[in-house]
């Protein structure tokens, strides 16, 4: 095949479009080639748009693959390139889908192409989700290069895609949703076959929390990561019953469906209980504390202006809402239980101040709380300086950076001139580029 492709390059230009027309059908073959950006692992080839956007999408794809490989603790053994074609959204075609995944047999191997509409309303989370879907498809079919042309492919289940993304981007909303889901867990057989697309925002958060819980349960079990990788590889040969196929790959979950349901419910409830004792990050604790500091617990003498905790202590002749002050104190107690160690003492000071306000014992409290607020500002300022230093150190001194500054470095240095290579992979990519014309 390599010899044939190299020979095709030596033929005259009129013969090449004619040959591609015969192989791939009609198309705009005479148009100029689209500019492309190849990712660091060379698996992702991004076409269209301008270079900075192509680079950002290529980095996003590499980060998504790296996260998936780290989750599975598996090496990068890709064999099918994934083509990412970026197209600008057209006002006269509002019905065009934001993402379209094409999987086909070209005769020279399997082809995976993801068409993405880009514009001002482009959602990076949506793009990452579709990229993860394409990566899972490549992992499932890399061992089937001779798949018959026209054969339908088996897509990855939604719980797998959403669970992978939710485990990577865990938020306080997801953690809270897991507690609500654990109170009344959906049966496993219903969850595995559920489609999340029609769900509203709140139900979607619950679904992602449950998917994250399922992925965590599977990967934390002994040998579970290898079983999950085997499950992904076996998707093309999966049974018509997704529940039976799932139980066949994870037999430790239960000998029968009834036992699997009981274990699923118990494991979800245990995960929700464990999350209550996880410590928040510094930024998450600071953000939650700032929200509680703005919580209104009183009004001024006119009764028109609501006041927060510190404003209540600074204002004379206020009318305190005792119920709201007690609620604030309880919320601060809950925050102190899993607050970042650097902020736990400060949270306790605010909690004691809220309790004193609820009891209407405010003498000398304004000065003490002002000192606590000043200490909070100093700690946040110092942590900001530490974060800036760590970012500078990683960007300029570390030999093995995490990749967070990849886009900045590419923009600062400019894109190097691309030279054509003649190895087998480069010839294959050049041929696929001609197909996209």
């Amino acid at each position: 095949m390599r010899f044939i492709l190299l020979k095709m390059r030596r033929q005259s230009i009129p013969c090449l479009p004619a040959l591609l027309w015969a192989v791939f059908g009609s198309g705009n073959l005479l148009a100029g080639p689209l500019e492309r950006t190849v990712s660091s692992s060379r698996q992702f080839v991004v076409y269209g748009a301008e270079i900075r956007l192509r680079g950002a999408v290529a980095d996003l794809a590499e980060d998504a693959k790296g996260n998936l490989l780290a989750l599975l603790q598996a090496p990068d053994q890709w064999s099918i390139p994934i083509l990412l074609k970026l197209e600008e959204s057209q006002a006269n075609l509002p019905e065009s889908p934001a993402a379209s995944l094409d999987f086909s047999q070209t005769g020279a191997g399997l082809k995976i192409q993801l068409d993405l509409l880009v514009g001002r309303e482009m959602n990076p989370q949506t793009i990452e989700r579709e990229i993860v879907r394409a990566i899972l498809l490549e992992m499932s079919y890399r061992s089937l290069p001779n798949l018959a042309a026209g054969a339908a492919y088996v897509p990855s289940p939604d719980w797998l895609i959403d669970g992978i993304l939710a485990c990577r981007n865990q938020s306080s909303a997801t953690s809270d949703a897991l507690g609500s889901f654990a109170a009344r867990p959906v049966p496993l057989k219903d969850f595995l076959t559920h489609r999340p697309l029609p769900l509203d925002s709140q139900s979607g958060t619950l679904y992602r929390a449950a998917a994250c819980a399922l992925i965590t349960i599977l990967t934390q079990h002994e040998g579970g990561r290898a079983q999950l990788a085997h499950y992904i590889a076996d998707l093309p040969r999966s049974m018509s019953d997704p529940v039976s196929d799932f139980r066949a790959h994870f037999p430790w979950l239960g000998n029968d469906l009834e036992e699997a349901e009981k274990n699923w419910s118990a494991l979800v409830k245990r995960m929700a209980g464990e999350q209550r004792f996880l410590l928040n990050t510094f930024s998450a604790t600071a953000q939650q504390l700032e929200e509680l500091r703005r919580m209104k617990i009183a009004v001024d003498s006119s009764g028109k202006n609501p006041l927060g905790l510190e404003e209540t202590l600074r204002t004379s002749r206020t009318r305190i809402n005792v119920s709201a002050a007690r609620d604030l104190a309880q919320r601060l107690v809950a925050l102190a239980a899993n607050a970042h160690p650097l902020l736990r003492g400060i949270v306790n000071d605010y909690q004691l101040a809220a309790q004193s306000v609820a009891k209407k014992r405010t003498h000398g409290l304004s000065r003490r709380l002002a000192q606590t607020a000043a200490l909070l500002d100093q700690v946040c300022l110092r942590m900001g300086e530490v974060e800036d230093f760590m970012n500078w150190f990683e960007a300029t001194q570390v030999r093995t950076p995490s990749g967070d500054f990849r886009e900045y470095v590419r923009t600062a240095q400019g894109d190097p001139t691309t030279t054509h290579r003649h190895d087998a992979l480069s010839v294959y990519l050049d041929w696929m580029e001609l197909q996209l014309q």
Side-chain angles (χ1 to χ4, degrees):
M1 176 59 67
R2 179 180 178 185
F3 172 78
I4 295 175
L5 295 178
L6 290 173
K7 186 175 181 180
M8 287 169 56
R9 283 194 167 188
R10 300 191 189 104
Q11 293 176 351
S12 59
I13 296 300
C15 296
L16 182 57
L19 177 59
L20 292 177
W21 184 288
V23 176
F24 301 110
S26 60
N28 189 14
L29 300 177
L30 298 179
L34 295 176
E35 295 184 356
R36 74 181 187 191
T37 297
V38 182
S39 67
S40 56
S41 69
R42 300 190 65 82
Q43 181 179 13
F44 305 98
V45 186
V46 188
Y47 292 89
E50 49 98 17
I51 186 172
R52 288 177 297 178
L53 181 56
R54 295 200 307 271
V57 173
D59 288 344
L60 180 62
E62 288 291 346
D63 290 342
K65 183 175 72 170
N67 171 69
L68 178 56
L69 294 177
L71 180 67
L72 300 176
Q73 292 184 355
D76 188 6
Q77 297 176 331
W78 70 271
S79 62
I80 307 174
I82 298 178
L83 310 180
L84 305 174
K85 187 177 181 182
L86 309 181
E87 298 179 343
E88 295 184 2
S89 55
Q90 302 293 332
N92 59 337
L93 296 173
E95 70 282 357
S96 299
S100 177
L101 181 62
D102 177 52
F103 178 78
S104 60
Q105 173 66 261
T106 64
L110 297 177
K111 169 194 167 185
I112 299 177
Q113 177 174 327
L114 179 61
D115 295 340
L116 298 168
L117 288 182
V118 296
R120 293 182 178 180
E121 299 180 357
M122 180 178 60
N123 188 346
Q125 287 75 26
T126 302
I127 293 179
E128 184 178 15
R129 190 178 193 276
E130 297 303 321
I131 289 175
V132 170
R133 187 191 303 276
I135 295 172
L136 290 172
L137 184 63
E138 190 275 334
M139 295 177 67
S140 299
Y141 283 88
R142 64 177 53 162
S143 61
L144 301 172
N146 298 321
L147 189 70
Y153 69 89
V154 179
S156 301
D158 290 295
W159 64 263
L160 179 60
I161 300 173
D162 287 327
I164 291 171
L165 294 175
C167 287
R168 179 184 184 181
N169 305 312
Q170 292 194 42
S171 61
S172 57
T174 304
S175 301
D176 295 341
L178 180 59
S180 301
F181 181 83
R184 298 182 62 183
V186 175
L188 182 62
K189 63 181 181 61
D190 295 335
F191 178 74
L192 292 176
T193 57
H194 190 75
R195 299 280 305 195
L197 295 179
L199 297 179
D200 55 60
S201 176
Q202 184 175 2
S203 300
T205 303
L206 286 172
Y207 181 87
R208 288 188 292 273
C212 179
L214 180 55
I215 293 294
T216 304
I217 291 171
L218 297 179
T219 54
Q220 286 184 350
H221 190 270
E222 183 179 359
R225 298 177 190 270
Q227 290 176 335
L228 182 58
H230 190 246
Y231 172 82
I232 295 172
D234 282 350
L235 281 174
R237 295 169 286 273
S238 60
M239 310 175 187
S240 57
D241 183 7
V243 179
S244 299
D245 183 64
F246 181 85
R247 290 182 50 242
H249 284 84
F250 307 99
W252 49 265
L253 198 58
N255 295 324
D256 52 36
L257 183 58
E258 183 178 357
E259 184 180 357
E261 293 288 359
K262 291 181 180 179
N263 291 335
W264 158 247
S265 179
L267 289 170
V268 169
K269 291 179 180 178
R270 189 182 71 180
M271 280 196 60
E274 291 174 350
Q275 281 200 353
R276 298 192 186 102
F277 301 98
L278 295 178
L279 295 180
N280 284 328
T281 62
F282 181 89
S283 59
T285 303
Q287 180 180 358
Q288 294 177 52
L289 178 58
E290 181 63 26
E291 293 174 356
L292 293 177
R293 291 173 66 188
R294 295 196 299 264
M295 184 174 172
K296 306 305 179 184
I297 61 173
V299 293
D300 61 5
S301 57
S302 66
K304 297 180 180 180
N305 300 317
L307 306 173
L309 177 59
E310 295 168 76
E311 296 170 328
T312 300
L313 297 175
R314 291 196 301 264
T315 306
S316 59
R317 288 185 291 184
T318 59
R319 286 185 285 177
I320 299 174
N321 186 335
V322 176
S323 177
R326 289 175 179 171
D327 182 47
L328 174 59
Q330 292 175 357
R331 290 171 181 258
L332 287 166
V333 169
L335 176 60
N338 61 348
H340 190 276
L342 288 177
L343 294 177
R344 184 171 296 156
I346 295 175
V347 174
N348 286 330
D349 287 346
Y350 276 96
Q351 178 257 324
L352 293 174
Q355 286 182 340
S356 299
V357 171
K359 297 177 182 179
K360 298 185 178 180
R361 299 174 182 174
T362 60
H363 179 70
L365 193 59
S366 176
R367 179 177 57 83
R368 294 198 300 271
L369 198 60
Q371 295 175 351
T372 302
L375 177 60
L376 175 62
D377 292 339
Q378 292 177 3
V379 172
C380 291
L381 179 61
R382 180 58 58 89
M383 284 299 293
E385 293 173 348
V386 170
E387 183 178 1
D388 290 341
F389 173 78
M390 294 301 295
N391 289 340
W392 169 82
F393 187 82
E394 180 182 347
T396 60
Q397 307 296 319
V398 178
R399 294 183 179 180
T400 56
S402 66
D404 294 338
F405 298 92
R406 199 179 308 164
E407 176 62 21
Y408 171 79
V409 173
R410 173 180 289 142
T411 303
Q413 295 179 349
D415 187 63
T417 303
T418 303
T419 58
H420 286 280
R421 298 171 54 184
H422 297 283
D423 57 277
L425 179 59
S426 297
V427 172
Y428 176 83
L429 294 176
D430 291 340
W431 180 53
M432 297 303 293
E433 179 181 0
L434 291 175
Q435 181 180 349
L436 287 173
Q437 293 180 6

